Amino acid sequence: MVAESSMKASANEAAFDPYADRLREECGVFGIFGHADAAALTALGLHALQHRGQEAAGIVTFDGGRFHSERRLGLVGDAFSEAAVIDKLKGSQAVGHVRYSTTGETILRNVQPLFAELHGGGFAVAHNGNLTNGLTLRRNLVRDGAIYQSTSDTEVLLHLVARSRKPRFIDRFVEAIRQIEGAYAFVGITNKKLIGARDPLGIRPLVLGELDGAPILTSETCALDIIGARFIREIENGEVVVISESGIESHKPFPAVPERPCIFEYIYFARPDSIVKGRSIYERRKAMGAQLALESPAKADVIVPVPDSGVPAALGYAQASGIPFELGIIRNHYVGRTFIEPTQKVRELGVKLKHSANRSVVEGKSIVLVDDSIVRGTTSFKIVKMMREAGAREVHFRISSPPITHPDYYGIDTPDREKLLAATHSLEQMREFVGADSLAFISVDGLYRAMGHERRDPIRPQFTDHCFTGDYPTSLTDVIGESAKQQISLLAEAG
């Protein structure tokens, strides 16, 4: 049993950063071909994908003669809200990216889309995901003379395409992606084409849409909705699409295997109004909450979501249990990255920058607090404490995902395993850590039932769910090989 004093000390270590104890979003991609307002539409699409990455944003366009690039640190609205910026991005085809860094530091050199001048013309590419052999490939390419300008694993693709001796660009691109492992959704433009590719298991999402006859490739349907585009279909797992003046070509360079999309798209990452594989993200999250209520009921006066990600599951829990749903926590939507406060006492107030208790709802009540996940547990500890300080009589914590016991290597920023609360604590120890009267997670099979399956198929799992099961669907070359020990040299940016 872990001593209570050490638990609370650990919780306070990260008190200055209430954002550190969350699963960090991956990245978002957007590309359009043959539209006069390509840059403006891409900027709008990236706005809709902002939840997938808030550290940097970039757009590259092609005007028939030259490429134009604008890549900046910060939010899309800060980078692309001025007409003068959009006007500089000339051309009818564009590719854009919002970034959260899972590989490589947040420096301008790593901001995507990345661009390279190749034999036959320029190539700009944006990537959502993570290559699990990226460091190994990088080491081999550098040994053979490659010169890297970033620490992003996306640059590996540029080098592999550049070194291919195939005559056609699409053949060079296919030869490149056949050498990589992991999860990816690539969107890129050349001087003649818009190209998209999805990894063989379909871990990362990619959809095809259309606006005014112009094809669009993007991470989520919400990016189509914001510009009034029509959803056509999802790019299939292992599919490469090539869009040109001649139309849309589909290539299947990999052996056919059942898809295994990332289950966290449904639990947390995708925007609630997006549709993935014909499933409403919002409705699936409500179903998770309803299943959680069936598996782990609690006697309580109100259901309180941890906003915003816990809201749909809390609604589902409330509807299934018959207990009223109330906003017992109010989120401040206007707080950015929290500052480094000077004293421990002020640091402990950090969580209140983002969340505040609604005392009128929780005071004197027994509440069920619903959230989507527990990672390190530090923010959960502070939120439970906040509910008690607001007068909650009992706090029952319910989580709409199973315990996270393994790190991710496919584009989700998770801590090392020893820093995952569920990997190092029993359920009772976790309950003591967060300070709740009871704690329960949805079961793995319950999660699959909420997704419309009878249970998880242990032979052929329907989703990529390694964070809960330890069942990694691809090779993890960099994790187990020599590259895991390799340090990438970094050049600090001035200013």
Side-chain angles (χ1 to χ4, degrees):
M1 185 69 69
V2 179
E4 183 177 358
S5 59
S6 66
M7 290 185 204
K8 291 187 177 180
S10 298
N12 285 333
E13 286 175 5
F16 71 93
D17 189 356
Y19 305 91
D21 186 31
R22 302 298 298 175
L23 294 168
R24 300 295 292 270
E25 290 88 346
E26 306 145 353
C27 295
V29 295
F30 187 98
I32 186 168
F33 184 87
H35 200 288
D37 296 321
L41 293 170
T42 300
L44 288 170
L46 295 181
H47 269 288
L49 299 174
Q50 185 75 87
H51 59 287
R52 299 186 72 89
Q54 299 90 48
E55 292 189 351
I59 297 175
V60 174
T61 62
F62 181 68
D63 65 5
R66 63 186 299 184
F67 289 84
H68 305 269
S69 174
E70 189 73 32
R71 300 180 301 148
R72 297 186 182 183
L73 301 177
L75 300 175
V76 177
D78 296 333
F80 297 103
S81 59
E82 297 180 6
V85 175
I86 298 297
D87 289 344
K88 290 192 296 183
L89 294 167
K90 303 181 185 302
S92 62
Q93 59 196 73
V95 60
H97 187 264
V98 288
R99 171 180 171 80
Y100 171 69
S101 59
T102 56
T103 302
E105 286 191 330
T106 305
I107 53 179
L108 192 59
R109 220 175 322 118
N110 285 335
V111 179
Q112 300 184 37
L114 299 184
F115 176 82
E117 188 68 40
L118 307 178
H119 177 68
F123 178 42
V125 64
H127 171 208
N128 168 215
N130 201 57
L131 308 185
T132 55
N133 67 338
L135 283 174
T136 301
L137 289 170
R138 180 189 182 102
R139 181 191 62 201
N140 295 337
L141 287 162
V142 169
R143 184 188 58 204
D144 293 341
I147 300 173
Y148 276 74
Q149 296 299 312
S150 76
T151 58
S152 170
D153 62 346
T154 310
E155 193 174 356
V156 169
L157 179 71
L158 293 176
H159 284 281
L160 292 175
V161 173
R163 286 172 177 252
S164 173
R165 294 296 178 259
K166 300 285 186 182
R168 296 195 308 158
F169 181 86
I170 182 57
D171 296 326
R172 295 161 66 192
F173 181 83
V174 166
E175 184 177 63
I177 63 172
R178 279 178 170 159
Q179 299 175 63
I180 64 180
E181 301 168 356
Y184 56 82
F186 287 119
V187 174
I189 56 171
T190 71
N191 52 8
K192 294 181 180 179
K193 298 177 176 67
L194 172 67
I195 296 175
R198 197 172 177 204
D199 63 77
L201 292 174
I203 299 173
R204 297 275 73 87
L206 190 64
V207 300
L208 174 68
E210 177 269 330
L211 177 67
D212 303 329
I216 296 167
L217 293 169
T218 189
S219 297
E220 292 185 41
T221 59
C222 64
L224 301 175
D225 295 338
I226 197 173
I227 60 174
R230 178 173 64 93
F231 170 75
I232 297 177
R233 66 176 179 88
E234 293 201 1
I235 303 304
E236 297 179 17
N237 55 306
E239 182 181 9
V240 176
V241 291
V242 181
I243 298 168
S244 66
E245 295 290 349
S246 302
I248 302 175
E249 300 176 7
S250 174
H251 301 259
K252 301 288 183 65
F254 300 101
V257 296
E259 69 172 352
R260 286 184 65 177
C262 178
I263 191 66
F264 266 112
E265 291 289 343
Y266 295 93
I267 295 170
Y268 180 77
F269 288 121
R271 223 171 72 166
D273 54 333
S274 284
I275 306 294
V276 180
K277 291 298 293 181
R279 300 180 179 98
S280 162
I281 295 296
Y282 177 76
E283 293 298 333
R284 289 307 94 200
R285 289 177 187 168
K286 283 181 62 180
M288 292 171 198
Q291 179 66 32
L292 182 59
L294 293 175
E295 293 183 356
S296 302
K299 292 184 179 179
D301 301 308
V302 293
I303 309 299
V304 174
V306 177
D308 289 326
S309 56
V311 171
L315 280 169
Y317 195 106
Q319 291 173 0
S321 65
I323 301 172
F325 171 95
E326 296 286 355
L327 295 179
I329 300 173
I330 305 302
R331 181 184 171 193
N332 178 5
H333 289 263
Y334 304 100
V335 60
R337 296 292 297 175
T338 188
F339 48 84
I340 305 300
E341 301 93 342
T343 67
Q344 178 65 28
K345 184 175 181 180
V346 177
R347 279 198 295 269
E348 291 176 0
L349 300 176
V351 71
K352 294 182 179 180
L353 290 173
K354 189 175 182 181
H355 294 130
S356 298
N358 187 355
R359 181 177 289 272
S360 66
V361 167
V362 303
E363 189 170 22
K365 305 285 182 61
S366 175
I367 70 170
V368 175
L369 199 60
V370 180
D371 204 356
D372 59 75
S373 60
I374 292 180
V375 185
R376 291 179 175 89
T378 51
T379 296
S380 299
F381 165 82
K382 291 191 286 288
I383 288 177
V384 171
K385 181 181 178 183
M386 183 172 63
M387 293 292 93
R388 294 201 185 279
E389 290 174 345
R393 189 176 74 252
E394 293 180 337
V395 180
H396 302 280
F397 214 172
R398 296 295 182 266
I399 309 300
S400 61
S401 68
I404 300 173
T405 54
H406 292 75
D408 180 80
Y409 301 105
Y410 300 111
I412 304 172
D413 186 36
T414 51
D416 295 335
R417 192 175 186 195
E418 60 268 20
K419 295 180 181 178
L420 292 169
L421 190 67
T424 56
H425 294 67
S426 68
L427 182 63
E428 175 59 19
Q429 288 173 332
M430 294 176 72
R431 183 196 67 76
E432 288 189 7
F433 185 102
V434 301
D437 291 285
S438 70
L439 173 66
F441 296 79
I442 195 172
S443 67
V444 172
D445 282 341
L447 176 62
Y448 275 72
R449 279 191 285 277
M451 292 301 302
H453 298 278
E454 185 176 348
R455 63 177 65 86
R456 181 184 191 268
D457 183 344
I459 306 300
R460 291 185 175 179
Q462 301 93 324
F463 298 96
T464 291
D465 59 7
H466 50 276
C467 288
F468 314 129
T469 64
D471 180 4
Y472 292 93
T474 74
S475 299
L476 300 177
T477 301
D478 289 342
V479 178
I480 62 177
E482 287 298 315
S483 293
K485 306 171 187 176
Q486 184 181 12
Q487 172 69 44
I488 295 178
S489 300
L490 299 176
L491 177 67
E493 298 276 355

